[in-house]
Amino acid sequence: MKMRKKIIAGNWKMNKTAEDSKELAQAIKLDLANVNEVDVVVCPTFTSLDTVSNVIGDTNIKLGAQNMHWEAEGAYTGEISASMLRNLYCHYVILGHSERREYFGETDEIVNKKAKAAIAAGLIPIVCVGETLEERESNTQEAVVSAQLKGSLAGLGASLAKVVVAYEPVWAIGTGLTASPEQAQEMHAFIRKTLAEISDQATADGIRIQYGGSMKPENAAELLSQPDIDGGLIGGAALKAPSFVALVKAAIEA
Ligand code: 13P
């Protein structure tokens, strides 16, 4: 089996002005500038990307955005393209987060267009999937996640190997409820099996699958030591340097 390098990404969501972002990035940089056992990513708002990009410079901390448009340029008021993100030295972009699916009507088809445009521009997409509480209670979580994966990742060909998948059960996001390590592992193994169906086993074995949903220093070690959990996509606990740094350290030790 392939060794997968763990990846911890902070999704700052709609939090922090450019000034606040600068402060957080500086604090994170103090501890994480030279980490190379784990990939470290911070995803501030669009308005903070430039500032954070300047703070992290060419350290081992990489920059990610939280969304993008699939077109290269044009009359799309309020939107941002992949090349604009690359121009600010973004390496990653989060796509299809459940908040975008729920509040902004993003479908698998839209996520798929974005994923293709991101890859074409040289960005690594972090593609989010995950079921709602209702779907889990009706035991349809595998069907839901399988459809999301097949729709969002359709037609990527060999580029699929570049994608990072984030499993974020909607019921665990920002709620303090976390999937148990067993529940998360079970779904991550299912996701890998589905990725092998879309591509092949070797590709699926190389793809990193992050867990997201109330991950914090107290529960990280157990989640990150599961065989198919290759990192975390962190919301709340990424907004403060000490907890984000602790999560990266947990990933190094896992
Ligand atoms: P929380 O860590 O705040 O639950 O958020 C998870 C998430 O949505 C990351 O993208």
Side-chain angles (χ1 to χ4, degrees):
M1 195 167 97
K2 262 191 212 168
M3 273 302 287
R4 294 179 295 268
K5 190 175 185 183
K6 287 200 164 44
I7 171 167
I8 298 289
N11 174 7
W12 296 2
K13 306 193 179 181
M14 195 175 74
N15 293 291
K16 298 190 183 290
T17 61
E19 206 177 312
D20 297 338
S21 299
K22 184 176 184 179
E23 223 169 88
L24 177 57
Q26 282 169 335
I28 288 170
K29 182 177 150 180
L30 284 180
D31 282 298
L32 303 178
N34 299 315
V35 166
N36 55 31
E37 300 94 325
V38 166
D39 285 337
V40 179
V41 184
V42 290
C43 305
T45 60
F46 287 136
T47 49
S48 294
L49 284 172
D50 193 27
T51 310
V52 172
S53 183
N54 282 316
V55 172
I56 59 180
D58 60 1
T59 65
N60 288 347
I61 304 168
K62 299 293 180 226
L63 191 63
Q66 300 173 17
N67 182 29
M68 53 168 261
H69 194 269
W70 60 85
E71 292 290 348
E73 60 184 13
Y76 301 98
T77 301
E79 295 292 330
I80 308 277
S81 74
S83 63
M84 293 169 187
L85 299 178
R86 281 297 295 145
N87 191 245
L88 294 177
Y89 305 102
C90 278
H91 281 76
Y92 295 85
V93 60
I94 300 171
L95 297 178
H97 190 281
S98 65
E99 288 148 16
R100 296 218 53 88
R101 292 174 185 268
E102 183 179 353
Y103 307 133
F104 304 101
E106 276 197 19
T107 60
D108 293 326
E109 197 187 352
I110 292 174
V111 178
N112 186 237
K113 286 204 265 189
K114 292 183 176 187
K116 287 175 175 159
I119 290 168
L123 288 165
I124 299 174
I126 299 178
V127 174
C128 304
V129 296
E131 80 285 357
T132 62
L133 183 59
E134 205 180 13
E135 288 159 348
R136 181 159 281 266
E137 282 174 344
S138 60
N139 203 30
T140 55
Q141 68 272 19
E142 291 194 346
V144 168
V145 168
S146 165
Q148 287 174 335
L149 287 168
K150 289 178 178 161
S152 305
L153 302 175
L156 294 190
S159 308
L160 181 67
K162 298 185 183 150
V163 169
V164 175
V165 173
Y167 169 56
E168 299 207 308
V170 178
W171 48 273
I173 296 176
T175 56
L177 289 175
T178 318
S180 68
E182 295 73 28
Q183 275 174 326
Q185 166 55 29
E186 195 181 6
M187 183 56 92
H188 281 233
F190 174 77
I191 290 172
R192 202 173 304 288
K193 188 173 125 234
T194 308
L195 291 171
E197 284 165 27
I198 300 173
S199 56
D200 54 74
Q201 193 61 50
T203 303
D205 282 343
I207 294 177
R208 295 175 301 174
I209 308 172
Q210 298 176 304
Y211 169 80
S214 302
M215 195 189 255
K216 40 189 181 275
E218 300 80 63
N219 59 26
E222 226 188 333
L223 285 161
L224 292 169
S225 59
Q226 301 299 315
D228 287 292
I229 300 187
D230 308 311
L233 183 55
I234 323 290
L239 293 174
K240 295 216 161 70
S243 46
F244 187 67
V245 169
L247 283 161
V248 171
K249 297 207 165 140
I252 293 172
E253 280 156 27

